[in-house]
Amino acid sequence: MNILWVYAHPEPRSLNGSLRDAALVQLRSDGHTVEQSDLYAMQWNPVVQPVDYGHDPAERFKVATASSKALAAGMQTPDIVAEQQKLLRADAVVLQFPLWWFSMPAIMKGWVDRVFVEGFGYGIRRADGRSRRYGDGTLAGKRAMVVVSMGGSEHTVSPRGINGELDEMLYPIQHGILFYTGMSVLPPVLVASADRMTETDYPAAESELLQRVKGLPTDEPIPYRTQNGGDYDRQFVLRDDLAPEDTGVRIHTER
Ligand SMILES: Cc1cc2nc3c(=O)[nH]c(=O)nc-3n(C[C@H](O)[C@H](O)[C@H](O)COP(=O)(O)O)c2cc1C
């Protein structure tokens, strides 16, 4: 397989850095091709550039529309095109990051903002005019997996844990970005209690990651419901007969 490993940690000698190094060694020795986007090392620019269309107030609405169009396919800078090419070449995409304020570090969000532009990440239509997203899109057929470390313990992301369930916490990333753009999302790898990890604890965390990495080609994805598979009405609301009485993000997974 061709694997794209996207990594967002400022310090290569961190826990995340050690885990990343071990995973890449294993993937390569198993015969996979690995490309990396080490966002801090690349000094990735996460900031969407404003487009200067002048100051005529009458143009304001057009400017707002044009700014999003300026991000669209065909008008990007070489750094964005290079990342899109890596994604297109990949069979599987791994996002590895430490959990910062319940999400990915800003540099990785800025990678998504700038790379997954209109015509690439969203705004893609089928011949019948229906949008291709949530299980369909440019990246359909590829696998994706989140590898995330967190300071909190596993209990805090258990079904009644104070942080909310892990799949709920990662829903904006796993469902809103990875599945949205068409990818099949494997269950995440969680490295919990990361700040308290000792040298004695580390081998278990590394071997769990390596085992999950081995499963990249074959593990069962999270069974998210596809937008165009018949489960949603014309307003993209889940049909009444599916997961009746239930609400929240969990209803978008077949159980
Ligand atoms: C800015 C920042 C925000 C953080 N936010 C969270 C958080 O929301 N939840 C959590 O459990 N840990 C949080 N942490 C702890 C990190 O997830 C933890 O330090 C990291 O995963 C450890 O891995 P590392 O040693 O490779 O950095 C945060 C740490 C920083 C620096």
Side-chain angles (χ1 to χ4, degrees):
M1 274 182 128
N2 193 355
I3 289 144
L4 173 60
W5 196 282
V6 188
Y7 172 77
H9 198 291
E11 173 53 67
R13 287 167 305 169
S14 57
L15 169 64
N16 271 280
S18 304
L19 291 170
R20 183 265 315 261
D21 293 348
L24 298 198
V25 166
Q26 174 174 293
L27 283 168
R28 289 187 171 119
S29 79
D30 286 350
H32 299 292
T33 307
V34 185
E35 289 199 87
Q36 222 200 135
S37 291
D38 181 341
L39 300 180
Y40 282 95
M42 293 157 66
Q43 300 188 309
W44 174 259
N45 171 17
V47 180
V48 172
Q49 295 305 310
V51 182
D52 183 5
Y53 287 94
H55 300 286
D56 181 353
E59 296 286 298
R60 202 177 294 152
F61 174 71
K62 283 192 221 155
V63 169
T65 315
S67 305
S68 90
K69 296 280 181 228
L71 294 171
M75 298 182 71
Q76 308 98 351
T77 51
D79 58 342
I80 295 175
V81 174
E83 295 307 300
Q84 291 175 343
Q85 295 299 326
K86 287 185 195 172
L87 282 160
L88 291 173
R89 283 194 292 270
D91 302 303
V93 179
V94 176
L95 300 186
Q96 185 193 354
F97 54 90
L99 191 72
W100 283 3
W101 292 110
F102 279 74
S103 190
M104 48 176 59
I107 198 170
M108 185 177 266
K109 179 60 165 45
W111 180 83
V112 176
D113 291 346
R114 292 187 63 231
V115 174
F116 287 41
V117 291
E118 185 175 7
F120 185 86
Y122 68 97
I124 303 151
R125 297 199 176 270
R126 305 194 306 200
D128 63 3
R130 221 176 148 95
S131 58
R132 294 181 58 198
R133 62 187 173 206
Y134 291 122
D136 194 10
T138 305
L139 303 178
K142 300 176 189 301
R143 297 176 149 248
M145 186 168 83
V146 166
V147 176
V148 59
S149 66
M150 64 184 281
S153 72
E154 243 167 311
H155 302 291
T156 66
V157 287
S158 66
R160 292 169 62 81
I162 193 164
N163 289 340
E165 271 189 87
L166 181 62
D167 286 344
E168 293 177 356
M169 192 168 78
L170 296 177
Y171 190 75
I173 298 170
Q174 297 191 140
H175 189 265
I177 298 171
L178 301 173
F179 187 63
Y180 186 98
T181 53
M183 292 189 267
S184 301
V185 186
L186 305 185
V189 179
L190 174 69
V191 182
S193 303
D195 297 325
R196 290 187 296 280
M197 187 166 294
T198 62
E199 278 182 34
T200 324
D201 304 328
Y202 178 79
E206 185 184 287
S207 86
E208 192 195 332
L209 173 64
L210 296 185
Q211 194 194 331
R212 291 297 314 283
V213 158
K214 276 234 182 267
L216 262 178
T218 50
D219 280 354
E220 279 297 312
I222 301 169
Y224 288 133
R225 299 175 189 277
T226 60
Q227 174 187 279
N228 298 327
D231 288 356
Y232 295 92
D233 68 16
R234 290 168 60 84
Q235 315 290 337
F236 306 114
V237 175
L238 191 64
R239 282 179 8 219
D240 286 344
D241 58 312
L242 298 170
E245 321 265 314
D246 209 354
T247 58
V249 301
R250 86 186 85 227
I251 66 174
H252 304 296
T253 305
E254 289 172 29
R255 288 187 189 246

